[in-house]
Amino acid sequence: MKVISDIRIFKSNVANVDGCSLPSYIENQKAIIIAGRIAMKLRENHFSLGDYDHLYLNYTNCLLEGQIKLSKRSIDKYHPWYRYYDIGVSDDLYKNLDDDKGTEYIVNLIRKTLIKYFSLNNSGRIINESIDIVLNEGENMMMFFKEKRSSKNIAKIFLKLLDNGKFLPILQVSDLNNNIVLDKELGETFDLSLIGQIKLNTKNVTVCPRTNAYTKDLKSITFSLKN
């Protein structure tokens, strides 16, 4: 079972008498950000889609309005990490998918799809609570990302997904009595490659970049801790 990684939103319409167009990305930035935050909050709650971690939702007027079903294009042995679900929308809603007028409908249908297909056991409560938090807190919503513990301190990194589409990592270090000894924003970024291993001792905390061929020029960030 994999923990959810991402939710992406697409659209396709009636192209001709032979069928529908291939899915293309919805250009509604507000809805894209909200979908990303929903995935983040679900991930924080260890929510799983099953044996894949990317959920692709395709809003289409090729289905009856309100109809939701697993798409045939999901059956792809070369891309096992995602599944497409087609969601039927009216012609009027389809025309509004790319602007703010369609945002509320898009989000409501994300909730409906998750509840319909992934609300086993306690998952329905997790879905509803996560989406409610996203809608209430907006870009102030924080997702717990990772932590490092030592004999005296706990270092945690949280993420915000801002309205501009960038992540804002926040480093917090507390003692074992939950007293905050360090609280630092690490700078807005589109790329989380700078957030790899956390090193923690009594004097310093260091955030190292991920180790791969693309991060060799990135530098670690070190902060001194209060005595």
Side-chain angles (χ1 to χ4, degrees):
M1 301 288 282
K2 294 184 176 180
V3 176
I4 190 171
S5 178
D6 199 5
I7 297 174
R8 300 185 186 183
I9 53 176
F10 299 81
K11 63 179 181 178
S12 65
N13 67 347
V14 179
N16 50 53
V17 293
D18 296 321
C20 294
S21 63
L22 291 174
S24 59
Y25 278 105
I26 288 176
E27 297 179 4
N28 182 333
Q29 181 70 6
K30 185 175 181 180
I32 291 170
I33 296 299
I34 293 174
R37 289 176 185 150
I38 292 171
M40 289 168 63
K41 186 54 66 172
L42 290 173
R43 182 174 182 83
E44 183 181 69
N45 285 291
H46 309 289
F47 179 84
S48 177
L49 301 168
D51 58 356
Y52 56 98
D53 55 13
H54 282 61
L55 181 62
Y56 292 175
L57 302 181
N58 179 47
Y59 295 77
T60 177
N61 57 1
C62 297
L63 294 180
L64 294 176
E65 183 176 3
Q67 186 178 4
I68 304 172
K69 66 177 185 178
L70 179 65
S71 172
K72 292 181 180 179
R73 73 179 63 85
S74 290
I75 305 172
D76 182 352
K77 64 180 181 180
Y78 300 105
H79 302 90
W81 63 85
Y82 70 77
R83 296 290 188 278
Y84 267 102
Y85 281 80
D86 290 330
I87 303 173
V89 297
S90 66
D91 290 336
D92 287 340
L93 175 55
Y94 186 87
K95 294 175 184 177
N96 292 326
L97 290 174
D98 287 325
D99 56 50
D100 282 352
K101 289 185 290 186
T103 301
E104 183 176 354
Y105 293 99
I106 290 171
V107 176
N108 287 341
L109 288 169
I110 292 175
R111 188 194 297 264
K112 184 176 180 179
T113 304
L114 288 168
I115 291 293
K116 180 176 181 178
Y117 287 99
F118 306 103
S119 59
L120 298 176
N121 301 322
N122 198 36
S123 297
R125 178 187 62 81
I126 293 173
I127 291 166
N128 281 319
E129 288 182 356
S130 297
I131 294 176
D132 289 344
I133 289 171
V134 168
L135 296 179
N136 289 333
E137 297 185 5
E139 69 173 358
N140 292 317
M141 186 204 82
M142 294 202 302
M143 165 198 165
F144 169 71
F145 188 53
K146 61 174 56 182
E147 73 175 19
K148 177 72 174 183
R149 292 174 177 262
S150 70
S151 60
K152 293 186 176 181
N153 293 314
I154 305 171
K156 295 182 179 181
I157 293 180
F158 298 88
L159 295 178
K160 289 183 178 182
L161 179 54
L162 304 178
D163 289 340
N164 61 13
K166 293 183 179 181
F167 292 102
L168 178 61
I170 299 168
L171 172 64
Q172 290 184 355
V173 181
S174 62
D175 62 24
L176 300 184
N177 294 317
N178 292 320
N179 298 307
I180 301 295
V181 298
L182 182 77
D183 191 339
K184 289 284 186 180
E185 294 182 353
L186 301 183
E188 297 179 14
T189 179
F190 285 114
D191 185 3
L192 292 176
S193 295
L194 76 160
I195 310 296
Q197 181 183 8
I198 303 172
K199 296 180 180 180
L200 180 64
N201 58 43
T202 56
K203 295 183 178 180
N204 301 301
V205 58
T206 299
V207 180
C208 305
R210 296 175 183 173
T211 304
N212 57 54
Y214 302 102
T215 60
K216 60 182 180 179
D217 295 326
L218 295 178
K219 304 298 183 183
S220 299
I221 305 170
T222 299
F223 299 98
S224 297
L225 301 177
K226 298 177 182 177
N227 295 324

